[in-house]
Amino acid sequence: MTKYFFSKISLHRIKEFIKHVKWPRSSLTDYKFMPTLKDVLRNKVYLSAFHSYLQSEFSDENIEFWLACQNFRATASQDNLQWKAKDIYKEFIQPTACKEINVDHHIREEITKSLDKPSLTCFDEAQKHVYLLMERDSCPRFLQSEAFLKLKQKSKTL
């Protein structure tokens, strides 16, 4: 019977029908209004909540590294660049760093080589890697967390 039904109705009609169906909406499935990681990082309130959420999970090293890299890129003087690069390396990159981030060996080696004369882009690969990790893992968990849902609800009432 389904074979007969689809042979009579054109694909165009089915697409038109689907467009006009009223789908149920909920705060968890309404993806139109779910922020992306990019949105979270640009919005001070979301960023603060995201950072607090990651601290509560003992996994805030990625967001702190990402923020340190943003600050590093804004550095004007070469002298400041060098000491900031070394601080970032000591805190996030070197093996056994207190907030060691998860980057592959090749990225770690390139950063280590660049420490003598760092450029504004010396942490770019590591920052991209960390961004992708947050985008795939931390941010979706945050967006489904009670903390984010409360924040979202609070912003609707204001």
Side-chain angles (χ1 to χ4, degrees):
M1 181 159 169
T2 26
K3 207 169 161 185
Y4 177 73
F5 177 74
F6 284 109
S7 66
K8 293 287 184 184
I9 298 177
S10 71
L11 187 59
H12 175 71
R13 282 184 155 169
I14 292 172
K15 286 180 180 176
E16 285 300 310
F17 174 75
I18 290 173
K19 279 184 191 175
H20 300 293
V21 170
K22 300 284 184 195
W23 299 99
R25 291 168 50 157
S26 78
S27 63
L28 294 178
T29 58
D30 192 4
Y31 295 109
K32 244 184 198 175
F33 302 108
M34 287 296 253
T36 63
L37 177 58
K38 191 175 185 178
D39 299 328
V40 170
L41 295 173
R42 286 182 175 171
N43 181 305
K44 287 182 182 180
V45 174
Y46 286 167
L47 178 58
S48 176
F50 184 48
H51 189 241
S52 295
Y53 171 77
L54 292 175
Q55 283 176 324
S56 75
E57 289 198 333
F58 304 101
S59 62
D60 57 335
E61 65 279 350
N62 287 340
I63 189 66
E64 289 185 11
F65 172 73
W66 190 88
L67 291 168
C69 289
Q70 291 299 101
N71 182 346
F72 177 77
R73 263 203 212 106
T75 306
S77 123
Q78 186 63 35
D79 291 337
N80 287 346
L81 207 62
Q82 193 155 19
W83 70 259
K84 279 185 177 183
K86 286 182 179 178
D87 282 353
I88 290 172
Y89 178 81
K90 286 176 187 171
E91 189 172 0
F92 300 104
I93 307 296
Q94 84 179 15
T96 69
C98 61
K99 294 183 180 181
E100 185 179 357
I101 58 167
N102 185 11
V103 291
D104 82 23
H105 180 68
H106 301 292
I107 294 173
R108 195 177 305 272
E109 276 184 6
E110 288 301 313
I111 292 170
T112 305
K113 288 177 190 174
S114 73
L115 287 178
D116 290 331
K117 194 169 182 184
S119 69
L120 289 174
T121 60
C122 67
F123 294 108
D124 282 2
E125 283 302 310
Q127 190 180 21
K128 285 177 195 171
H129 182 76
V130 163
Y131 183 92
L132 290 173
L133 286 174
M134 290 191 300
E135 187 174 52
R136 281 186 250 144
D137 183 45
S138 312
C139 191
R141 282 195 332 262
F142 168 65
L143 296 176
Q144 297 299 318
S145 73
E146 197 65 35
F148 176 75
L149 296 175
K150 284 180 181 176
L151 179 66
K152 191 174 172 184
Q153 191 63 35
K154 186 178 177 183
S155 68
K156 282 182 181 178
T157 60
L158 294 177

